[in-house]
Amino acid sequence: MSSRHVGAICGAVAVLLGACLLAVLVGPAGLTPKGVLLDLLDRIPFVDIESGLTPRQQTILWEVRMPRVALGALVGAMLAVAGAAYQGVFRNPLADPYLLGVSSGAGLGATVAIVLGGAAGTIGLPPAAFLGGILAVAATYALGRTVGGGRTEVVIILAGVAVAAFANAIQTFLMQQHDDTLRQVYNWMLGRLATDGWSEVVTVLPYVLACVAVIVLFGRTLDVMAVGDIEASSLGIRPERVRLLLVCVATLGTAAVVSVSGLIGFVGIVIPHAVRLLVGPGHRLLLPLSLLVGAAFLVLADVVARTAMSPSELPIGVVTAAIGAPFFLVVLRRSGRSVA
């Protein structure tokens, strides 16, 4: 890895650490950078430092702020890496983690849990959303294989559109029949990073670590597949198998984080493109940088969501959409020019 690449990664790490520190400090609890850093050092084994934070401030730091920052970093990292993987395997600059119906399936699963779950709806919502996202992608691939054998990216994408439309139709019907649940469903669909301690972080961490590791390991393979399936096959790569593996892995990670965060759009489009503009299309650098920048982006977006209308809180999906929608239009315009 060249010194330029090392410098880019170190810069991204610094940005992420700065974003996390800012997110921990912002709020009415009166936390100071010195107090937070000293309390972090005090948690290291065999280190005993008086941070100066009150017991209340320590509780806010470790049971409210830190879990929320950690969850935001995990969700942003997974969505960004999944977006880069989708764009690589489909060779489509507009692909994102929700391309194959993950969001629609997860939304339907969450709606079913809220409508039918009663008092247990909140408890059953994450697993229902996770299962819905996985089933939607499975249905997409099953449909894609029956139409054209699933051998082209276009067939799979169109199958995803059909599955998403069907899931959205069922979700709309359920919401219409149970209008008393509309607020709860919409709150989930607009995204949120509210946590109940560290439970959500512990739940999604294994999925994120495993899925990100697999995707990053295939960085060189994605670079080869970028030139086309025929050329990749001539070098001993099985494009269809690699595509299926990476789509399954990216979908699994996306479904896991979406199940606890709700639907947070545009991260998977904005971050990989922004990184690609800075360092080029090589996936061996694009993937780790997307991970770091995606984590920092969502942590900062959550700061905006918490403070823009304080004491009220904006859904974080509104913040990411406000940033991502204009960027999406720019990407569309650039893509149109390249086609012309």
Side-chain angles (χ1 to χ4, degrees):
M1 185 176 291
S2 68
S3 59
R4 175 173 171 266
H5 291 176
V6 173
I9 291 177
C10 290
V13 170
V15 170
L16 174 57
L17 292 177
C20 292
L21 180 60
L22 176 65
V24 167
L25 294 175
V26 171
L31 300 177
T32 64
K34 179 182 177 181
V36 169
L37 293 175
L38 290 178
D39 207 69
L40 289 173
L41 292 174
D42 187 51
R43 299 295 172 127
I44 300 175
F46 310 111
V47 175
D48 186 12
I49 299 177
E50 179 57 47
S51 66
L53 298 182
T54 66
R56 175 178 174 274
Q57 289 176 323
Q58 289 180 330
T59 300
I60 292 174
L61 173 63
W62 290 101
E63 299 301 325
V64 179
R65 299 275 177 85
M66 292 291 285
R68 183 160 181 157
V69 170
L71 183 63
L74 288 174
V75 174
M78 187 67 249
L79 292 178
V81 171
Y86 270 85
Q87 291 164 17
V89 297
F90 291 114
R91 295 192 291 274
N92 184 341
L94 304 181
D96 78 340
Y98 301 139
L99 181 69
L100 302 186
V102 180
S103 63
S104 300
L108 176 58
T111 302
V112 171
I114 292 171
V115 168
L116 303 181
T122 302
I123 300 175
L125 194 154
F130 178 80
L131 181 62
I134 295 296
L135 290 178
V137 175
T140 293
Y141 256 91
L143 180 60
R145 291 188 65 84
T146 62
V147 182
R151 288 186 290 271
T152 68
E153 300 93 329
V154 175
V155 170
I156 297 174
I157 292 173
L158 291 177
V161 172
V163 169
F166 183 70
N168 286 334
I170 299 176
Q171 182 183 20
T172 302
F173 173 78
L174 290 175
M175 292 168 64
Q176 184 183 37
Q177 296 300 308
H178 302 271
D179 55 4
D180 56 312
T181 65
L182 285 178
R183 179 178 292 276
Q184 191 175 354
V185 172
Y186 276 121
N187 284 341
W188 185 86
M189 290 176 63
L190 291 174
R192 76 279 187 276
L193 291 178
T195 59
D196 183 17
W198 291 91
S199 59
E200 291 87 354
V201 176
V202 173
T203 298
V204 302
L205 182 60
Y207 293 96
V208 173
L209 290 178
C211 294
V212 166
V214 172
I215 293 172
V216 171
L217 286 175
F218 277 85
R220 186 186 296 272
T221 304
L222 285 172
D223 287 338
V224 176
M225 289 177 60
V227 300
D229 285 2
I230 296 176
E231 292 81 357
S233 298
S234 68
L235 296 175
I237 295 174
R238 302 289 292 273
E240 286 303 321
R241 289 189 177 181
V242 172
R243 184 172 293 115
L244 176 61
L245 172 65
L246 290 182
V247 166
C248 289
V249 170
T251 298
L252 179 64
T254 300
V257 297
V258 163
S259 69
V260 298
S261 71
L263 305 182
I264 302 175
F266 292 100
V267 178
I269 291 181
V270 171
I271 301 306
H273 273 287
V275 173
R276 196 177 287 114
L277 290 174
L278 294 175
V279 301
H283 286 86
R284 283 178 292 173
L285 183 59
L286 174 67
L287 291 171
L289 279 182
S290 294
L291 182 150
L292 295 169
V293 177
F297 172 78
L298 204 61
V299 169
L300 293 175
D302 186 50
V303 172
V304 175
R306 288 193 287 117
T307 59
M309 298 183 65
S310 182
S312 300
E313 184 174 319
L314 278 174
I316 192 171
V318 173
V319 178
T320 58
I323 299 171
F327 190 91
F328 185 80
L329 294 176
V330 172
V331 172
L332 274 178
R333 188 169 183 177
R334 288 170 59 93
S335 301
R337 285 178 177 176
S338 62
V339 171

